[in-house]
Amino acid sequence: MSDGARHIERTFVMLKPDALERSLMGEILGRFERKGLKLVRLELRRVTKELAATHYAHLVDKPFYPELEAYITRGPVVACVWEGIDAIRVVRNLVGATDSILAAAGTIRGDFGVDKTENLVHASDSPESAAVEIRNFFNESTSTL
Ligand code: TYD
């Protein structure tokens, strides 16, 4: 039975400060490369408090937000866009569950993450959020590559 049409998608991925602090950038980007995804945009940058509040707008009222803000702004991140068949689902599967303690072995968070906050990677959860997040971080279309 078919599970629906498959589409070429683009998804936004951010390697969070702990990924760079722990020298896991090559390991994490390599997993996306080896899966066959195409890299269409990549930039080393800092997340300001303003960008954090935009990106995590759905979480700003949560009790853990101050901890999340301190974490995401404490050092450089790698913002990138990956393209491929069903890329949003494929990347979320590679990344694993939000809480690294519960994330399956073999996923990035399951293999390397510490807990719910220090979970190394952000990945878009829908085509709508991918479009918004790519715009928030790159402020332009990525359609040229
Ligand atoms: P969320 O969008 O729910 O998860 P995901 O990153 O898997 O899409 O949450 C965003 C980030 O917020 C999450 O990666 C880590 C942080 N977070 C906490 O620090 N504590 C929490 O209890 C939750 C739910 C999230």
Side-chain angles (χ1 to χ4, degrees):
M1 200 171 84
S2 165
D3 61 351
R6 297 188 166 167
H7 300 290
I8 300 282
E9 291 175 337
R10 286 182 173 191
T11 188
F12 175 72
V13 172
M14 174 170 50
L15 276 53
K16 303 185 197 177
D18 51 339
L20 280 79
E21 290 158 6
R22 295 176 55 202
S23 303
L24 288 169
M25 184 174 72
E27 170 69 41
I28 294 170
L29 294 177
R31 289 184 177 214
F32 299 136
E33 286 184 313
R34 296 199 297 275
K35 182 64 180 172
L37 293 156
K38 180 184 167 192
L39 181 65
V40 294
R41 188 78 198 244
L42 181 138
E43 194 176 304
L44 183 69
R45 58 178 299 169
R46 290 295 282 254
V47 175
T48 61
K49 287 186 178 188
E50 292 70 28
L51 181 56
T54 302
H55 179 69
Y56 286 129
H58 60 300
L59 299 174
V60 286
D61 296 328
K62 301 282 186 197
F64 60 79
Y65 186 74
E67 188 189 350
L68 177 58
E69 181 193 72
Y71 160 64
I72 206 69
T73 59
R74 80 180 180 208
V77 303
V78 170
C80 45
V81 179
W82 293 87
E83 181 182 279
I85 299 165
D86 268 352
I88 291 161
R89 183 161 49 172
V90 166
V91 168
R92 293 280 291 187
N93 285 341
L94 291 173
V95 168
T98 305
D99 187 344
S100 304
I101 290 165
L102 304 178
T107 65
I108 294 165
R109 288 168 171 169
D111 288 350
F112 306 114
V114 171
D115 59 20
K116 247 187 226 174
T117 302
E118 307 257 338
N119 64 7
L120 298 166
V121 190
H122 166 83
S124 307
D125 63 4
S126 68
E128 296 72 27
S129 48
V132 169
E133 290 166 358
I134 291 169
R135 209 171 329 116
N136 286 343
F137 275 79
F138 294 113
N139 203 22
E140 62 188 67
S141 160
T142 58
S143 61
T144 49
L145 285 173

